[in-house]
Amino acid sequence: MKAIGLYQYLPISNEKSLVDVYLDRPRPGSRDLLVAVQAIAVNPVDTKVRAPRHGDIKPPETPQILGWDAAGEVIDTGEEVEGFRPGDRVYYAGDITRPGCYSEMHLVDERIVGHMPESLDFAAAAALPLTGLTAWEALFDRLGISPAGADTGKSILVIGGAGGVGSIATQLARHIAGLRVIASASRTKSSVWAKQMGAHHIVNHRRPLDIELEEHKLGPVDYILCLNDTDQHWPAMANIIKPQGSICSIVDNREPLDLSLLKPKSATFCWEFMFTRSMFRTTDMHRQQEILNEIAQLVDRGTLKSTVNLVQQPINATNLREAHRLLETGRTIGKLVLEGW
Ligand SMILES: NC(=O)c1ccc[n+]([C@@H]2O[C@H](COP(=O)([O-])OP(=O)(O)OC[C@H]3O[C@@H](n4cnc5c(N)ncnc54)[C@H](OP(=O)(O)O)[C@@H]3O)[C@@H](O)[C@H]2O)c1
């Protein structure tokens, strides 16, 4: 089967950073689905795993396959699979500890796979799993916001509102939780997109966000979801969170964070990492299947929409290198998707 992989961790300008390869058809383990991948989305995690590394890193002997966002059709199942059969159309993010989905056929544990929205094609569906799971887990599992509307009218600041995660987080916060959403964006294009995703207000993350919120008379806020540069935004987040409010970040800090800034307000800080459930095989890892199925139903009812912004064909090394290059600018809007072989 066709796949795109790497043998060396190189800058994306190097033609060998991602190369076309051929691999054997993989065999499903007992809980696995074998999926004929039709479309994939790219994410910053792909570029982070591919990027040049410091230190004495042994290059992979067999090609390393990246990619953690796919939509496709089930073509085979392991002997213990219960919820799927060949022909099912599925979408999923997958597991960072296993080979990724830059391949014509891909193995994934059924517990983290959802039935894809019936109203979407493969490309529009592939845009949703990784970012949808991240946003859902951050808002409802980590920040503890009610998906049933019990927090209606409270406020949230979504930092990085036009990115992949911000685009779906804004929709969930507004249309599922009923929150007042303040999204950050720094350009006209990204501001317009964030509004289309449901943001009530836009602030500019190139300026200190506490000053922005104060000048627009928008703060303090009940919740903050930080989707970009935790270090840069930390002091402002501590200033604009309400007493007893909650902050969640999905982006690693480079320097130690001063948690004492939150003490006077008894404010909470938590992390969200979308791969936690699959990486540690948590007893509730099937929750990701439930979340993906809930998102699919919300899409089919017209409550949520796909965040796809650009689709390229086919899935090959040239187009994936270009997709990585665009992601590395840090200025993409919504999701970049590749489809077809
Ligand atoms: N922990 C997890 O499970 C998890 C899951 C998914 C993603 N992530 C991480 O979360 C981050 C965001 O992911 P993503 O897929 O949403 O990325 P993305 O789509 O590449 O985000 C692009 C957006 O970031 C905005 N941005 C750029 N610099 C910013 C800054 N200094 N402050 C605030 N916003 C800024 C840009 O807005 P403007 O163009 O308007 O400036 C752009 O629209 C990445 O670091 C990713 O690796 C973590």
Side-chain angles (χ1 to χ4, degrees):
M1 64 171 181
K2 288 183 197 170
I4 295 89
L6 62 84
Y7 291 94
Q8 299 170 73
Y9 301 105
L10 297 168
I12 202 59
S13 53
N14 190 315
E15 287 204 343
K16 290 184 181 156
S17 56
L18 287 170
V19 292
D20 293 302
V21 296
Y22 286 89
L23 301 174
D24 293 337
R25 174 186 170 119
R27 281 215 214 123
S30 60
R31 298 292 302 265
D32 282 344
L33 310 179
L34 180 64
V35 177
V37 173
Q38 305 294 336
I40 60 175
V42 288
N43 286 283
V45 65
D46 306 16
T47 67
K48 290 175 188 176
V49 177
R50 193 219 73 245
R53 292 149 189 231
H54 300 295
D56 195 13
I57 305 291
K58 227 176 125 197
E61 282 163 20
T62 54
Q64 183 173 347
I65 311 297
L66 312 175
W68 292 278
D69 242 345
E73 199 172 300
V74 176
I75 51 173
D76 197 4
T77 59
E79 63 273 15
E80 286 175 35
V81 166
E82 288 170 354
F84 298 88
R85 55 184 178 199
D88 284 354
R89 287 150 57 99
V90 295
Y91 75 145
Y92 57 91
D95 178 346
I96 191 89
T97 66
R98 299 184 71 178
C101 62
Y102 293 179
S103 61
E104 265 183 299
M105 284 171 259
H106 184 234
L107 294 178
V108 61
D109 189 303
E110 67 162 334
R111 288 169 286 187
I112 55 173
V113 176
H115 291 278
M116 81 180 225
E118 285 175 17
S119 55
L120 297 185
D121 60 19
F122 288 114
L128 287 172
L130 188 148
T131 51
L133 286 166
T134 306
W136 188 288
E137 290 181 346
L139 294 171
F140 305 130
D141 295 350
R142 314 295 174 227
L143 287 170
I145 297 167
S146 163
D151 293 306
T152 296
K154 290 186 179 173
S155 53
I156 186 166
L157 170 64
V158 178
I159 301 176
V165 183
S167 300
I168 189 69
T170 296
Q171 294 187 57
L172 290 170
R174 178 161 184 174
H175 300 307
I176 308 305
L179 303 186
R180 187 167 60 86
V181 182
I182 303 154
S184 84
S186 71
R187 298 171 294 139
T188 306
K189 241 173 139 180
S190 50
S191 302
V192 169
W193 175 274
K195 280 237 165 193
Q196 284 167 359
M197 293 296 122
H200 293 88
H201 310 279
I202 303 294
V203 289
N204 182 357
H205 48 236
R206 300 291 168 217
R207 299 186 66 219
L209 284 168
D210 48 348
I211 294 174
E212 277 282 287
L213 262 73
E214 202 176 302
E215 286 181 4
H216 290 87
K217 301 198 175 5
L218 293 171
V221 289
D222 296 285
Y223 304 104
I224 300 175
L225 179 54
C226 180
L227 308 176
N228 209 298
D229 206 332
T230 306
D231 301 78
Q232 177 198 332
H233 298 299
W234 184 253
M237 290 197 281
N239 271 342
I240 53 180
I241 193 68
K242 275 189 187 170
Q244 304 186 86
S246 301
I247 302 170
C248 178
S249 177
I250 68 166
V251 180
D252 292 350
N253 51 310
R254 297 177 298 274
E255 302 292 331
L257 298 175
D258 183 1
L259 269 180
S260 70
L261 295 179
L262 305 184
K263 163 90 181 342
K265 293 180 176 174
S266 300
T268 307
F269 174 72
C270 58
W271 290 112
E272 156 61 16
F273 183 47
M274 196 282 308
F275 291 116
T276 297
R277 283 179 158 135
S278 50
M279 180 182 261
F280 294 99
R281 296 271 182 281
T282 60
T283 51
D284 70 349
M285 96 185 234
H286 63 277
R287 184 68 197 123
Q288 291 205 332
Q289 179 184 111
E290 294 167 2
I291 294 170
L292 288 169
N293 286 337
E294 282 177 71
I295 290 174
Q297 284 169 20
L298 289 163
V299 169
D300 288 338
R301 269 188 244 134
T303 310
L304 301 177
K305 57 184 174 191
S306 172
T307 52
V308 63
N309 190 20
L310 183 66
V311 182
Q312 299 285 9
Q313 294 154 333
I315 304 170
N316 62 20
T318 304
N319 282 339
L320 271 166
R321 282 199 303 274
E322 175 59 10
H324 277 228
R325 190 192 66 75
L326 287 170
L327 269 183
E328 286 182 355
T329 65
R331 307 183 95 198
T332 52
I333 294 175
K335 294 298 301 172
L336 289 179
V337 170
L338 282 79
E339 78 173 332
W341 295 92

